[in-house]
Amino acid sequence: MNDNESSKKRKRARRRDRAQNEKLRLSSEKESASAAERIDEDEEESTKASASAKRIKSQGQLSDSSSFLAKMKAKLSGGHFRMINEKLYTCTGKEALEYFNDDPTLFDTYHTGYQEQMSHWPELPVNIIIKWLKDHSPSLVVADFGCGDARLAKNVKNKVFSFDLISKDPSVISCDMSNTPLGSSSVDVAVFCLSLMGTNFPSYLREAHRTLKPRGWLLIAEVKSRFDSTTGGADPKTFTKAVCDLGFTSVSKDFSNKMFILFYFKKKEEQSSKKKEVEWPELKPCLYKRR
């Protein structure tokens, strides 16, 4: 090989090297540009993520704050309900009426708390009583002693006289349940659904006896713990005997529910002319626990 051919080969080799270097340079520049773009995109995404995180954190703090305030409000409301509830179980009906008349907003506070407590019950006694009435004649006239929101009257076709300490509905008559405006022997069914609350509860039952027609029904639903003699409650048999001594016949009792007991009585057709002294058991207050 002469010098001229060697020189040509070296030139071709240098050209190849330069072309490869240029190719590598262009590739490197392209990668650098791409990397820069990715860095810019990453920085932008990072900025967005940071801003989003701040918003989420801020929203979380607001949510936590709102949740905390809601919990505190519920706690205070629950405490107020338990205080009113204890008051109603440990005073007479007349005193309870005066208590609510002095501040009617307490009645709303009580019933809001009551509804919250009832929301935890698997079954409500008022619904069983509604079903009982629907299974009987719609012509039966009903007196609902301690009607609350008058749910009973709103769900049956019967004529219902609804009584409670405060009236928040035109259909509800505000009164002391031991002294209603009903005439004697004027109703077919008297209902006490979780409403034997006052210390003078026997006077409510005497009023029911006065207003019921002969062979009229007396339906009582009460919290089960009030009739648990092992924990200081009344003996159901003692309570039943007292109601019968008042002038009723016991028809049946339902202990199947976890939360409450149902008593079914009928007013005796013929009343004894000699009034019997009734020995009433004490019904312990139903005091709800903090949740």
Side-chain angles (χ1 to χ4, degrees):
M1 182 184 295
N2 55 37
D3 292 339
N4 190 32
E5 289 177 347
S6 295
S7 176
K8 288 180 180 178
K9 285 184 177 180
R10 284 196 294 274
K11 286 180 180 178
R12 283 196 297 270
R14 283 197 294 273
R15 282 197 297 271
R16 283 197 304 270
D17 290 343
R18 282 197 297 272
Q20 288 176 347
N21 288 338
E22 182 66 14
K23 187 177 181 180
L24 288 171
R25 184 183 68 78
L26 291 172
S27 176
S28 177
E29 287 179 355
K30 187 176 181 181
E31 288 181 1
S32 295
S34 178
E37 288 177 2
R38 287 197 300 272
I39 289 171
D40 289 342
E41 289 174 356
D42 289 345
E43 287 180 348
E44 186 178 353
E45 289 297 323
S46 177
T47 301
K48 287 180 180 179
S50 177
S52 178
K54 287 179 180 178
R55 283 196 301 272
I56 291 171
K57 184 177 180 181
S58 176
Q59 290 170 355
Q61 288 173 341
L62 287 172
S63 177
D64 290 345
S65 177
S66 298
S67 177
F68 174 75
L69 289 173
K71 287 178 181 177
M72 286 301 295
K73 188 176 180 180
K75 188 175 181 181
L76 289 170
S77 179
H80 205 180
F81 160 73
R82 288 190 294 274
M83 180 191 75
I84 299 170
N85 182 68
E86 183 172 354
K87 168 75 175 177
L88 296 178
Y89 272 108
T90 54
C91 71
T92 66
K94 184 180 178 181
E95 289 168 340
L97 183 62
E98 292 171 353
Y99 179 65
F100 282 135
N101 281 335
D102 286 342
D103 187 354
T105 62
L106 294 176
F107 189 78
D108 294 329
T109 301
Y110 171 76
H111 275 283
T112 298
Y114 174 82
Q115 293 298 335
E116 198 282 328
Q117 291 291 334
M118 291 299 101
S119 70
H120 299 283
W121 285 31
E123 188 172 29
L124 300 181
V126 67
N127 292 335
I128 294 177
I129 294 171
I130 288 169
K131 184 180 182 304
W132 186 93
L133 284 169
K134 287 181 176 180
D135 290 339
H136 290 73
S137 172
S139 66
L140 296 177
V141 179
V142 182
D144 186 4
F145 290 80
C147 64
D149 58 3
R151 182 180 300 187
L152 182 65
K154 294 171 184 176
N155 285 277
V156 296
K157 294 179 180 179
N158 308 66
K159 169 64 179 175
V160 179
F161 292 98
S162 301
F163 301 107
D164 215 320
L165 295 168
I166 294 290
S167 174
K168 293 288 182 178
D169 186 293
S171 66
V172 177
I173 301 168
S174 173
C175 68
D176 176 355
M177 292 191 299
S178 65
N179 185 24
T180 69
L182 292 173
S184 298
S185 302
S186 59
V187 299
D188 301 289
V189 184
V191 174
F192 289 88
C193 187
L194 308 180
S195 54
L196 291 179
M197 298 182 72
T199 54
N200 63 323
F201 75 88
S203 66
Y204 305 160
L205 295 174
R206 283 194 292 271
E207 179 68 356
H209 181 269
R210 181 188 71 80
T211 61
L212 276 169
K213 298 174 184 177
R215 298 188 59 77
W217 286 91
L218 171 64
L219 276 53
I220 301 172
E222 266 303 331
V223 179
K224 206 166 194 175
S225 62
R226 302 188 79 191
F227 292 93
D228 184 353
S229 56
T230 63
T231 58
D235 185 333
K237 292 179 181 178
T238 305
F239 177 76
T240 299
K241 182 180 182 304
V243 176
C244 289
D245 287 344
L246 182 61
F248 290 91
T249 300
S250 176
V251 177
S252 65
K253 293 185 282 288
D254 183 356
F255 291 81
S256 63
N257 195 278
K258 178 183 176 183
M259 307 301 291
F260 56 86
I261 296 176
L262 277 160
F263 298 90
Y264 299 85
F265 298 95
K266 291 193 84 170
K267 182 177 177 179
K268 292 176 181 177
E269 192 162 8
E270 294 184 5
Q271 299 293 312
S272 173
S273 58
K274 185 179 179 181
K275 287 194 175 182
K276 190 174 183 179
E277 187 68 29
V278 181
E279 293 184 14
W280 292 98
E282 182 180 350
L283 295 183
K284 72 173 185 176
C286 175
L287 305 180
Y288 293 99
K289 297 178 182 178
R290 291 179 59 180
R291 292 186 178 276

